[in-house]
Amino acid sequence: MQNMRNIAVIAHVDHGKTTLVDGLLHQSGTFSSHEQINERVMDSNELERERGITILSKNTAITYKNTKINIIDTPGHADFGGEVERVLKMVDGVLLLVDAQEGVMPQTKFVVKKALNFGIRPIVVVNKIDKPAAEPDRVVDEVFDLFVAMGANEEQLDFPVIYAAARDGYAIKNLEDEKKDLAPLFEAIIQSVPAPSGSSENPLQMQVFTLDYDNYVGKIGIARVFNGVVKKGEQVLLAKGNGQKEHGRITKLIGFLGLARTEIEYARAGDIVAIAGFGAIDVGDSIVDLNNPMPLDPMKLEEPTMSVYFAVNDSPLAGQEGKHVTANKIKERLLKEMQTNIAMKCEEIGEGRFKVSGRGELQITILAENLRREGFEFSLSRPEVIIKEENGKKLEPFEHLVIDTPQDYSGAVIEKLGKRKAELKAMNPMGESYTRLEFEIPARSLIGYRGEFLTDTKGEGVMNHSFLEFRAYSGSFENRNNGALVSMENGEASGFALFNLQDRGVLFIAPQTKVYIGMIIGEHNRENDLDINPIKTKNLTNMRSSGAEEAIKLIPPRNLSLERALEWIMHDEILEITPLNIRVRKKILDPTERRRNKK
């Protein structure tokens, strides 16, 4: 019987997980010499490649010296924390990647705590040791201090350390060793990660930890076999988390090797496989022996902390740019997303309006961006945090926020966050005249803060946050200080009008952009909203020619990405999202009605 190891790669966002998995795939000889392989092969989704982040946890398998190593690449961003937690239940060891310059970050703390609670002893990989400002020894000390603070046991504190530069494809045990290949990391995995427990002789026990979808076979559950042997075509029992049981047959059994998925006849205890044949399969469900059913403990999934409303686009320009514009199409697509993305919830509220709840802004904007690329046209409201009530008390989600900023700007950051009810917990110098600030802050205070933060730190600051817990509601705080410049005409924006308006604030549009009454075309310098006419042209008389005045010089408009626009809008505003444009508008388009509504 072949040896087996199951490991997950966990790290903070952008510390090099996917690049390291690339290196392991290439150097294990998993790909044959003629195969054309992209960089960051595990980031299969177009958005993942563009943003350089992992959004979905994905698994692969490699063979090294007659040992099969199942590897799961997990997301590093806090919004996808639910994925990481599920994955850790499926593996016997983890590679904890830490950047040799940045050291321990909030997401590292989040995943380490989960791994230690499951009793896993991590292999610490200090990555990017080729950086000019790398301090591998300091980082190892930081990790040790973190493990102590998280209550690690003695065995976990005696963790193996590997130094690596995943991009250059080498790993070393000691800093003075020769930099050749990733062999020291392969050896560390085989020596330090225990082989899977469980036996092929016992009755079948499998548990699903992530879902996939195929148009031909329907829902696919990716699961680990904890005990027994699973065979294609076998009659089994599906035990759901709520206690329901369902008889069924495994119609497809799929194994992993490299990027390939191949149909297999059977799999035994310890292996990770994909199965099809159950329409009602969900994450946390157990697949057990019909004659001797012993379901595994169901998984507890983290609750959503933020919600947003998707709705049919009803602006004057509706239906001109999108392919899918009806409520039925939007509903169908959102429900399809919910089949595989279990960290999100969707409920229909009224005609053509859907409340989608998730773990954070990033998770919601990635869904919106995917819809937009698929040709959908819809509107999106400002995100709101989910407020819970317990024993008559209002509770709201709090975040652990870590900011790295040049020292000169730390005062401005602390002052702005103080107004947003943030509590400063630690302030440490970081070398190279940077300071690390740690805060505990209500999640709703972070909505709309990123743009301000980038301005305050001249684009040099880095902010990361992860969910902490639900705490008592902390009252209201000041929001966006500036009003909006709102169009009071329908038509095309003229350069002449925009030139005269640019003193009033920052514009979001360029000349020849289609505008309509109630569309927001810029941010006002003052606190109030201002109704303006962006389509006005220069009056020509027989005394004056159009070119006689001085040339018009326009300041380039502020380009609003989906995230920036979603953070910027207030409660009386919504985004109109089409495959070609992102527009900001007032919920009530008519200015007279809007004023009446304010009173």
Side-chain angles (χ1 to χ4, degrees), residues 221-239:
I222 297 173
R224 172 169 169 178
V225 187
F226 282 93
N227 272 306
V229 175
V230 60
K231 295 177 183 152
K232 183 180 174 182
E234 186 180 6
Q235 292 285 340
V236 289
L237 187 72
L238 173 71

